[in-house]
Amino acid sequence: MENLISLWQSTGLYNFTIGQVFMMLVGFLLLYLAIKKGFEPLLLLPIGFGAILSNIPVAGIAEEGGLLYYLYFGIKLGLFPLLIFMGVGAMTDFGPMLANPKTLLLGAAAQVGIFAALLGALALNIVPGLEFSLKEAAAIGIIGGADGPTAIYVASKLAPDLLGAIAVAAYSYMALVPLIQPPIMRALTTEAERKIEMQQLRHVSKTEKIIFPLALLTLSILLLPSATPLVGAFAFGNLMNTSGVVDRLSQTAQNELINIVTIFLGLSVGSKLSAEAFLQVKTLGILSLGAVAFAIGTASGVMMAKLMNRFSDTPINPLIGAAGVSAVPMSARVANKVGLESNPHNFLLMHAMGPNVAGVIGSAVAAGVLLSLIK
Amino acid sequence: MENLISLWQSTGLYNFTIGQVFMMLVGFLLLYLAIKKGFEPLLLLPIGFGAILSNIPVAGIAEEGGLLYYLYFGIKLGLFPLLIFMGVGAMTDFGPMLANPKTLLLGAAAQVGIFAALLGALALNIVPGLEFSLKEAAAIGIIGGADGPTAIYVASKLAPDLLGAIAVAAYSYMALVPLIQPPIMRALTTEAERKIEMQQLRHVSKTEKIIFPLALLTLSILLLPSATPLVGAFAFGNLMNTSGVVDRLSQTAQNELINIVTIFLGLSVGSKLSAEAFLQVKTLGILSLGAVAFAIGTASGVMMAKLMNRFSDTPINPLIGAAGVSAVPMSARVANKVGLESNPHNFLLMHAMGPNVAGVIGSAVAAGVLLSLIK
Amino acid sequence: MENLISLWQSTGLYNFTIGQVFMMLVGFLLLYLAIKKGFEPLLLLPIGFGAILSNIPVAGIAEEGGLLYYLYFGIKLGLFPLLIFMGVGAMTDFGPMLANPKTLLLGAAAQVGIFAALLGALALNIVPGLEFSLKEAAAIGIIGGADGPTAIYVASKLAPDLLGAIAVAAYSYMALVPLIQPPIMRALTTEAERKIEMQQLRHVSKTEKIIFPLALLTLSILLLPSATPLVGAFAFGNLMNTSGVVDRLSQTAQNELINIVTIFLGLSVGSKLSAEAFLQVKTLGILSLGAVAFAIGTASGVMMAKLMNRFSDTPINPLIGAAGVSAVPMSARVANKVGLESNPHNFLLMHAMGPNVAGVIGSAVAAGVLLSLIK
Amino acid sequence: MAELMSSGLELTFAGMGIVFLFLTMLVYAINMMSGLIQRYLPEEPATSISIPVAPKNTATDKSYIAAITAAVHQYRSTH
Amino acid sequence: MAELMSSGLELTFAGMGIVFLFLTMLVYAINMMSGLIQRYLPEEPATSISIPVAPKNTATDKSYIAAITAAVHQYRSTH
Amino acid sequence: MAELMSSGLELTFAGMGIVFLFLTMLVYAINMMSGLIQRYLPEEPATSISIPVAPKNTATDKSYIAAITAAVHQYRSTH
Ligand code: NA
Ligand code: NA
Ligand code: NA
């Protein structure tokens, strides 16, 4: 009898708080989006599952002694995002960007979204009850970088309490890129601009691809050492791939290692979706600002392309500017798709891959500035 | 000369204790069983090797500074068994169980073995010199769950000192299932019962397979949160597989990740086979009780199937009840084999897979009860 | 404005020390050697990159909070070299050695290089400003073992400050084996000796290959427990492979696991290439002594083969003695190549694989002696 | 000892009770779930399923490979 | 609040400034690099490249496999 | 210095002694092992070996795959 009462008092039904129930529903929603809607499933499925597990009463899976508590150290110490960045680096082909380097500027322009969201977060301090510090605003802004590992890395350093909401916002909007970007792209360009065909890209030699990650790292060392953890991991992964002499390491970095870390990272991020941390007005602010950041980033990229078109002798289709937000490779695909609507023979995919990977570099640089200037 | 003496004093020959020698022989015996007899080699080979390494005098491989000391943290913190459970979840097909859900009750009945062994351990306190606390008895009982990761998880929480003996017993008896079960199955059934043919299983849709792990987890959250670390890891692995949207993660969980963890887990378990911990009368008790647990679990499953046959409109071959102990997939194969002896056209394998995977759930639930009620 | 000054003061350009610049150049040199010259790229590429990353000012990638700081624990605790040794063990075929066991003595003789370098290091204490303790001298000597993981394991225990230089020297000279060894081999042998054809190797049964790693481990336990971490990891990997019952574990140990650890090990070793540790006269001493060790080891192996030829009834080509230094499989290839120059029908490769893998055992034994006698 | 045994028996009854309760409820849950799914989310007969095996619009870091492979392929085929 | 906004604006100008500065310098660096490479390290036209894909003289622990495989093959073929 | 050198020399003699002792004993051990195996556990000539490559009765968690694959295959083939 005592046992039965003790058992009843140890059930979830007895111990639930309303916040936990709500956060589990958020977890299930993420699973639904990942599985049924195909939203970034590689991250949102583990994140959603982690959210459910960490909100189970009594079990303490995200507390000391529990699985997610220990896995979270991989984020806390900054290991997981950097290892993912290394794997992504090994998967990335800088060829299209090297063939047309001026598209790097599109990747720069799109980072305006980061700082727009940062300023927006600070402006929201007007709203009574909402309070964002500079650190928090910066961590929110980085959602606009449209790059998961960068957002998680910066948030883990500047605002670990907001990590869950920021990661969810970043990956959700990356999944929503095909819905968010096209209307903005169409609104800011004329039919004639969207029809612009671009010159075929030149061939890029293996040597250039080997030297590039080293040049990128060197520049980052000279100008912005605070960005070198991110840039360095990325360049290391890329060099393993392009050098061609350590294929077995490159393959492992791109496959098993990144897969293992992705599982652990997703579950750990989910463990930060606790009721106390997530069920706050702040979260609504973060979600809104994230959307603003993506929209402004997209617009800035497109406008920059239009500006460059005035001064460039070779034509640039402004649609590829939208790919500057990163969200690799989705936003490049979106540029390609919107371009095909206006001109069915105009394949922009390869041209958009340049600004797309430039956007990754751009947001790593912006992250470096934020990490360096905000104490 | 001094050096020579010092060298001689650092040899194994000089430093051996009789207990260490004996435990090394146990290690070699496990290697023999794994390699020559094919007993659960994936676990018993690393466990046996770990036993040898950890009993080497002077070297201190299982002490602070040594490899096995650090690997053991993966068990101590509960990471390894849960990661293995995740991989096993990703490998498991719940289809046959979903096609015939009432076979779940067979997986419930077979857990009687767990509690029989628990009571047996307590009863052994009569024997002078044998003393089992409630925690230890529970950890011993879980051997009857016939599921390696569950046994190791529970033992690491309730009775870490007995971990080595419990893990060895669990895996040894799992390997011995083809010897232990058939006589019991034959003794408890008539030839007519063993000839019973079962209805063909209906097709199970992909959607059902996706929803099931979530339903299982939800029920566990509501009723028995203390089982959610195990059930959650299992359900997560299963969902990665059935959802079909994160194939690369599911493949890694089923292959490289589970392989790496299996190597580390086996070696770490072996490191608990020290002379002090293993060379006790308790160990004989554990080995006997484990055999009892398997036998009683098998019998309970068969008897439950016979009971259900009285009330069910569709026939159940009682042999598949024996598969309820888990020991996946060996006990399902045993049911199939014994069935074929009586009726060469009667393939029970798929029918036995239902109770077989139900047995995994059943022992995870029993583990949850034990972890929750025993403080 | 303040921000700009603050940014400028956070650039690499502002913060560089000359030592850091120099060590980065060393890092780039290692990358050049790895990529362009094909020098041991699997290790020298990550080591070179780690050297660059850890010398970036401000970023602190090798300090607490940085990626390389945490990865280095894998070396500090001795995990990485042992896991690599396990993988190498799984890759190694002892067949040729078992077919002609007396070639083991060649692997013994070549270890003279280790002790020659050790004595050399102590002798260098005459040079004012150079001071090598006994521990440091032993760690330097182990370069002559021509085996990366053994050198790193010993250095991490005896002289962690010299780890970077020792690892770089060990891998560089292993890459240089095709340049270092042939002149010595030619100088010490006559044309007639180099023409010697060896008897075809007998077939070695699977059972012998299974028993051997256990026999090796047993001998090491009895005589030299201090070598059992290395020998045990190696034997465990080898047994996983030869037993044939845990193929999935063996494959993972040889591929994904060793690849992941190689990436982490290389980067962590690179993190020990800091200006303070590396830019010392000691480093020049280490580099010179490493070359001496390789040369003397090669010579000893060849001379031992010549000596054995006097007493042996079956002929031994003295060139295979050079393979006793290990540097698997490069030095065996070198023996084969030099042999073919004198006798184009004389394939020594398989005959040289015996002393080659014996050299791995020999240096593990030497490592055990050093770890055991030096406190 | 007697106390220990009575704890053990209590544990056994509670334990087997929960195990049967849990798995019985799971039987009902499965039957309900399967019924609902077969009624409201039936698999389309001949062709494929309602839940896309290949996600339609993933933009994950890790689909880099696929996209870049495709892109590079197209790019190379023009050189 | 006002102070916070002014910090934010400063950060924005510094940040976008650095981002553009960095990527502009990268454009120049790439152009310079590509120019130098195309002049001094041109890819050989039809045949392969100046940097060996397969390293010529690696002696790594991990090339064990290749060598031993080859060796074993040769050895077995004689038995 | 002189003391250090003498320690070093001692270490050298002990070290090379042990290395030769160890490997010599290993030679004998191998010869004995091979002799015993060739006498008492000879490989069966044409067919395969006495130690099964595929374990006969493993029941490991990880053989899930094989069994389930087989089972599913059989199950599907009836649908
Ligand atoms: Na970006
Ligand atoms: Na069970
Ligand atoms: Na050696």
Side-chain angles (χ1 to χ4, degrees), chain E residues 29-57:
Chain E
I30 292 172
N31 283 333
M32 207 171 68
M33 169 191 89
S34 294
L36 289 173
I37 288 172
Q38 281 166 16
R39 179 166 311 174
Y40 298 108
L41 297 166
E43 271 186 356
E44 282 137 47
T47 66
S48 195
I49 5 174
S50 61
I51 286 147
V53 173
K56 275 169 200 154
N57 54 346

Side-chain angles (χ1 to χ4, degrees), chain B residues 297-371:
Chain B
T298 303
S300 310
V302 173
M303 295 311 292
M304 183 72 188
K306 291 178 72 161
L307 182 70
M308 283 169 69
N309 238 346
R310 298 230 179 138
F311 300 97
S312 170
D313 39 348
T314 56
I316 295 176
N317 187 314
L319 294 175
I320 72 168
V325 297
S326 19
V328 185
M330 191 40 57
S331 63
R333 285 189 197 162
V334 166
N336 189 54
K337 191 162 158 265
V338 177
L340 287 174
E341 290 168 6
S342 298
N343 177 349
H345 302 295
N346 196 9
F347 292 94
L348 293 171
L349 186 59
M350 283 316 293
H351 299 286
M353 288 308 296
N356 212 187
V357 297
V360 176
I361 299 173
S363 45
V365 169
V369 174
L370 297 174
L371 291 172

Side-chain angles (χ1 to χ4, degrees), chain C residues 5-17:
Chain C
I5 292 169
S6 153
L7 261 173
W8 163 245
Q9 289 177 344
S10 72
T11 61
L13 285 169
Y14 182 88
N15 287 285
F16 263 131
T17 65

Side-chain angles (χ1 to χ4, degrees), chain C residues 111 144-147 324-327 359-360 362-363:
Chain C
Q111 308 314 319
D147 185 89
V325 296
S326 17
V360 176
S363 44

Side-chain angles (χ1 to χ4, degrees), chain B residues 92-94 97 100-111 145 212 216 234 323-326 328 352-365, chain D residues 19 22-23 26-27 30, chain F residues 64:
Chain B
T92 299
D93 178 9
F94 281 112
M97 196 189 82
N100 194 7
K102 66 174 181 281
T103 58
L104 272 165
L105 299 181
L106 302 174
Q111 308 315 318
F212 174 71
L216 171 64
F234 197 78
V325 297
S326 19
V328 185
M353 288 308 296
N356 212 187
V357 297
V360 176
I361 299 173
S363 45
V365 169
Chain D
V19 167
F22 191 98
L23 291 178
L26 200 54
V27 172
I30 291 172
Chain F
Y64 265 65

Side-chain angles (χ1 to χ4, degrees), chain C residues 162-219:
Chain C
L162 305 184
L163 179 72
I166 287 173
V168 165
Y171 282 105
S172 300
Y173 291 125
M174 280 158 70
L176 288 171
V177 149
L179 299 180
I180 297 174
Q181 290 199 317
I184 300 168
M185 293 157 77
R186 288 193 203 100
L188 294 175
T189 52
T190 65
E191 178 75 9
E193 285 171 331
R194 292 197 293 276
K195 277 190 160 57
I196 294 176
E197 295 193 11
M198 293 181 66
Q199 286 187 347
Q200 210 182 287
L201 293 172
R202 75 170 176 88
H203 174 73
V204 172
S205 75
K206 193 165 158 19
T207 311
E208 288 171 85
K209 290 189 185 176
I210 294 176
I211 302 292
F212 174 70
L214 295 171
L216 171 64
L217 177 62
T218 303
L219 198 60

Side-chain angles (χ1 to χ4, degrees), chain A residues 38-55:
Chain A
F39 276 18
E40 293 277 358
L42 291 169
L43 269 298
L44 289 190
L45 193 147
I47 291 177
F49 216 97
I52 297 172
L53 291 181
S54 61
N55 282 288

